[in-house]
Amino acid sequence: MIPRETGESCGRPVSAVELRYLDHEEDIRASYPLMRQLRPQLDSAQAFVQRWQHQRTQGYRLLALWNGGQPLGLAGFRVQDNLVHGRFVYVDDLVIDASCRSQGHGKRLIDALKAEAKVLGCCKLLLDAAMGNALGHRFYYRQGLLATALRFSMMLT
């Protein structure tokens, strides 16, 4: 279990804010409204559960920051290995509830991911950010992440 934090979050007192892995379908369902803020193409909790179940077979883990029974932030990641980076943690998803941003929750998730990456024998943390996500870019720079490449993609239909 990752350490708890006390204080105030999202404008209300908290008895315990904690980071923990989501390993059960009911937790995934409970976190669907938050993930939908980042991934609006997920049109139902069941679609999210199905994607999560499939991605777990590829090493995907979902770390959540909880205030009681309410998820405040999510970080989905997996360990990968390639010739460019060696062994690294790739962050697929990172979202903080819109009503709880700028309270240190994103930093806490990034710090937890960096620590987990080291435990897993990784020397890098990588993620993609949309070109138009200027606020996200600023946040990532403040966390010590640097833009080192552009990703190119195309739809194959």
Side-chain angles (χ1 to χ4, degrees), residues 119-155:
V119 167
L120 294 170
C122 299
C123 57
K124 281 188 181 180
L125 181 80
L126 286 110
L127 57 79
D128 291 324
M131 296 294 283
N133 184 4
L135 292 176
H137 300 169
R138 284 182 39 210
F139 169 75
Y140 297 134
Y141 283 125
R142 285 194 315 268
Q143 302 313 307
L145 286 95
L146 301 175
T148 58
L150 289 175
R151 172 164 284 178
F152 296 90
S153 67
M154 69 170 36
M155 297 299 297

Side-chain angles (χ1 to χ4, degrees), residues 35 38-39 55 59-63 74-80 88-95 106 109-117 122 124-130 139-140 143 145 151:
M35 183 60 83
L38 179 66
R39 307 287 182 222
Q55 288 177 200
Y60 181 81
R61 298 290 313 268
L62 196 54
L63 182 63
L74 298 170
F77 70 96
R78 65 188 86 215
V79 174
Q80 296 183 347
F88 64 97
V89 162
Y90 180 79
V91 182
D92 293 76
D93 310 295
L94 183 64
V95 61
L109 278 173
I110 289 286
D111 288 346
L113 290 170
K114 290 190 290 190
E116 184 70 5
C122 299
K124 281 188 181 180
L125 181 80
L126 286 110
L127 57 79
D128 291 324
F139 169 75
Y140 297 134
Q143 302 313 307
L145 286 95
R151 172 164 284 178

Side-chain angles (χ1 to χ4, degrees), residues 18-22 31 62-66 71-75 109:
E18 68 176 326
L19 281 167
R20 66 177 168 88
Y21 286 101
L22 302 187
S31 65
L62 196 54
L63 182 63
L65 180 61
W66 289 85
L72 305 177
L74 298 170
L109 278 173

Side-chain angles (χ1 to χ4, degrees), residues 28-42:
I28 300 302
R29 287 184 185 284
S31 65
Y32 166 70
L34 178 53
M35 183 60 83
R36 189 139 195 253
Q37 291 180 32
L38 179 66
R39 307 287 182 222
Q41 71 275 17
L42 293 171

Side-chain angles (χ1 to χ4, degrees), residues 95-107:
V95 61
I96 303 300
D97 187 283
S99 68
C100 300
R101 293 184 184 148
S102 298
Q103 296 180 27
H105 300 309
K107 178 181 181 350

Side-chain angles (χ1 to χ4, degrees), residues 45-85:
Q46 185 57 34
F48 181 33
V49 167
Q50 288 173 343
R51 296 293 306 179
W52 169 74
Q53 288 171 333
H54 173 71
Q55 288 177 200
R56 276 179 40 158
T57 66
Q58 301 168 350
Y60 181 81
R61 298 290 313 268
L62 196 54
L63 182 63
L65 180 61
W66 289 85
N67 177 7
Q70 186 71 30
L72 305 177
L74 298 170
F77 70 96
R78 65 188 86 215
V79 174
Q80 296 183 347
D81 198 318
N82 65 27
L83 295 174
V84 175
H85 302 290

